[in-house]
Amino acid sequence: KQITKFRLRARERRRDRWQYLLLRSVTPTHQDLASVRLPRLLHPLYYFVRPIRLIGKKLRGQTAV
């Protein structure tokens, strides 16, 4: 979480900060890959799994990563 804050502060323009947040919110992580097992052909769907997983964590009161 601290690295994300650091990377946000490192962006000079507001547009760059928003772009970073958008990419961070949809780019799948190891946790996303482990949470749902998809066949290789369906791997692009992980870009939809990430935001859904983050929303679920937020609703459960956990810290989103």
Side-chain angles (χ1 to χ4, degrees), residues 10-42:
R11 305 298 195 270
E12 292 181 12
R13 296 180 299 191
R14 183 177 291 177
R15 181 181 79 193
D16 295 335
R17 289 189 290 269
W18 280 108
Q19 183 181 25
Y20 173 75
L21 286 174
L22 176 65
L23 288 174
R24 181 90 170 109
S25 66
V26 297
T27 303
T29 64
H30 293 289
Q31 291 172 328
D32 301 313
L33 300 176
S35 68
V36 178
R37 297 285 182 182
L38 294 175
R40 193 171 228 4
L41 183 64
L42 298 177

Side-chain angles (χ1 to χ4, degrees), residues 42-56:
L42 298 177
H43 275 199
L45 293 179
Y46 281 118
Y47 287 92
F48 296 100
V49 169
R50 172 112 173 118
I52 292 168
R53 191 178 71 78
L54 291 177
I55 290 169

